Amino acid sequence: MADAPGPDVGEPGVRGVPVPARVVLPADPVRPRRQRDVRPGSDGTRVRGHDGRRLRGPRPVGSERVAFFGCHLGGRLALLYAAAHPERTAAVVTFASHPATLRDDEYPWGSSPEQREWLVDSLRTMSFDVDAVFQELTPTEAADPSTRRWFSTFFFSAGSPAESIDEIEAMGPVDLRGLLGSVHVPTLVLHRTGDLMASVEAGRYMAARLPQATFHELPGADHFPFFGDQDAVLALTQEFLTSRAPAVEPDRVVVTVLFTDLVDSTARAAELGDRRWRRVREEHDDLVRANLARFRGHEVETTGDGFLATFEGPARAIRAAAAMRADLAELGLRVRAGLHTGECEIVDGHVRGIAVHIAARVMALTGPDEVLCSRTVKDLVAGAGFRFADRGTHRLKGVPDEWPLYAVELTTS
């Protein structure tokens, strides 16, 4: 939460939100064991706290009125506090939040009793698959080993299986739907379209019932605000809280993004064995890097069995992909490549932005030995001598609108 400016505060508390602020971000409730009435809402609804402790106001941290930012269950806590203490709440921003845990006929986006029982049983028997949950929470980071290790450490350090079961059983009955009409403060509801952990429909439902809500649906599928396109989250939050849009960053450039991926790499690895496959992978990496240098591409990172790279122009990217395909074929390897041109943010050699996600989604639809591109790429190289085959219009996961895609018709040389 961020203070409204006052005489005793003067340090910015959230990166990208340059307002005088002391910041306290509400976390998810810590091991709730019982519920307690706070006070009735204007419609007679009983407002309940998530735990047995007294809900403290912002004054112990030197604040008079605060703006809350709450993710997931933290959004519920922020709305609960705003309903109970509107005189102390300047605004609320929720991200990937939902008003109820369990589903019913009016609210079909919650968990079923069977799903809840399965979750409790998997925790009790220690069969809970943390990696599978992480892939749903943060699909854009699911392939990154270091981020997976971080989440696994975080998950197992946060509480024991018994504590986690206790929290699940306490959260099950929590339902703020009858309270939403009693939240009489400005509220910004943010939700990503492809969120697998909390349906965007739940965010729409919640926003439609909050009297002073503004709803923004963001592209992407990451459940956490600190993954995916963080800049959009910060920009919308800053503008909502300060009435000022953030200044345009100078390090955004238009580039062509290339993703490559080896076809059937797992089967080849099993066929060749670890030692021979390692040598083949090293030759693959050398050939890709040689072609990146030849066509003046920039290697951003390796992506398991492929590369992420950028080029100043789409024609060079197409020619580089064609050369990679031809060279790797001589090793008996098949590769697929996806291309998109768009604006990206360059930070310490890494690229961020929706253009990167689009290129990744294009590559995911690419067939073996194929170079697939967006219409943006096709239009930009008009007159350069390339030929394209129409691959139809597709909806890209987590990206708005429908996208025409085209396969570059490559020669074998």
Side-chain angles (χ1 to χ4, degrees):
M1 63 187 181
D3 282 339
D8 297 324
V9 294
E11 292 297 328
V14 179
R15 181 178 67 84
V17 184
V19 295
R22 286 194 181 101
V23 174
V24 180
L25 298 177
D28 285 354
V30 180
R31 310 303 164 212
R33 297 190 181 277
R34 60 188 183 276
Q35 297 177 335
R36 183 181 68 83
D37 288 346
V38 178
R39 78 179 197 188
S42 58
D43 60 354
T45 303
R46 300 297 290 179
V47 182
R48 295 181 178 271
H50 286 318
D51 59 24
R53 295 174 294 177
R54 180 173 177 267
L55 285 182
R56 296 185 178 273
R59 289 175 182 172
V61 294
S63 303
E64 293 297 327
R65 297 183 71 242
V66 294
F68 289 90
F69 185 103
C71 174
H72 193 69
L73 296 180
R76 285 194 203 171
L77 287 177
L79 293 171
L80 174 65
Y81 186 89
H85 301 287
E87 75 284 357
R88 299 184 192 174
T89 308
V92 172
V93 180
T94 69
F95 187 91
S97 295
H98 46 293
T101 299
L102 299 178
R103 70 177 61 164
D104 58 25
D105 291 340
E106 181 194 352
Y107 184 81
W109 309 290
S111 301
S112 66
E114 293 78 14
Q115 288 172 321
R116 186 167 169 236
E117 183 59 33
W118 171 86
L119 179 58
V120 170
D121 185 65
S122 67
L123 287 167
R124 185 177 290 118
T125 60
M126 303 292 288
S127 60
F128 186 75
D129 190 341
V130 178
D131 278 342
V133 171
F134 181 68
Q135 289 177 19
E136 287 195 6
L137 283 169
T138 315
T140 61
E141 299 290 335
D144 180 52
S146 63
T147 310
R148 288 204 309 272
R149 286 194 299 270
W150 165 81
F151 181 76
S152 180
T153 301
F154 161 76
F155 181 87
F156 288 112
S157 300
S160 67
E163 289 173 319
S164 297
I165 292 169
D166 186 45
E167 180 172 337
I168 292 166
E169 291 177 342
M171 288 299 98
V174 174
D175 190 336
L176 298 186
R177 286 178 290 171
L179 175 69
L180 297 177
S182 300
V183 180
H184 296 291
V185 300
T187 306
L188 175 64
V189 178
L190 301 176
H191 216 114
R192 287 183 174 137
T193 303
D195 193 327
L196 299 175
M197 188 60 60
S199 171
V200 68
E201 295 292 345
R204 294 170 184 156
Y205 176 98
M206 190 167 69
R209 287 158 178 78
L210 288 164
Q212 300 183 45
T214 301
F215 179 66
H216 274 283
E217 186 172 328
L218 300 168
D222 292 297
H223 183 67
F224 293 132
F226 45 83
F227 289 120
D229 188 359
Q230 305 164 47
D231 290 336
V233 177
L234 287 169
L236 288 168
T237 302
Q238 175 178 333
E239 185 172 6
F240 179 72
L241 295 179
T242 69
S243 300
R244 296 192 303 271
V248 177
E249 295 292 337
D251 52 349
R252 296 186 70 86
V253 296
V254 175
V255 296
T256 298
V257 181
L258 166 69
F259 276 91
T260 69
D261 183 56
L262 281 173
V263 177
D264 295 330
S265 58
T266 302
R268 288 300 309 275
E271 176 187 346
L272 296 176
D274 289 343
R275 182 175 298 178
R276 289 178 61 196
W277 178 244
R278 185 167 56 251
R279 288 200 299 268
V280 170
R281 280 291 308 275
E282 289 171 353
E283 292 183 77
H284 161 269
D285 292 353
D286 290 343
L287 283 173
V288 171
R289 290 184 173 118
N291 281 296
L292 289 178
R294 175 185 172 191
F295 295 97
R296 289 188 280 176
H298 170 70
E299 176 185 341
V300 177
E301 61 187 16
T302 56
T303 57
D305 292 319
F307 277 75
L308 164 60
T310 60
F311 294 80
E312 291 183 359
R316 290 177 186 166
I318 292 173
R319 293 187 178 103
M324 292 173 192
R325 190 197 73 158
D327 290 347
L328 292 171
E330 295 181 7
L331 297 178
L333 298 175
R334 306 176 73 188
V335 68
R336 55 187 183 143
L339 293 164
H340 177 65
T341 300
E343 189 179 58
C344 296
E345 182 182 13
I346 310 297
V347 180
D348 296 329
H350 294 275
V351 290
R352 299 174 181 169
I354 190 64
V356 180
H357 300 302
I358 293 171
R361 299 292 183 261
V362 171
M363 194 272 288
L365 296 171
T366 305
D369 299 323
E370 191 174 52
V371 176
L372 198 65
C373 69
S374 65
R375 182 171 182 172
T376 307
V377 172
K378 174 181 176 291
D379 290 347
L380 287 172
V381 297
F386 296 107
R387 298 177 60 188
F388 298 88
D390 190 344
R391 289 292 185 261
T393 300
H394 300 262
R395 293 198 66 87
L396 306 182
K397 184 178 179 181
V399 181
D401 303 323
E402 294 187 343
W403 291 75
L405 301 181
Y406 302 86
V408 185
E409 295 187 347
L410 303 172
T411 62
T412 57
S413 58

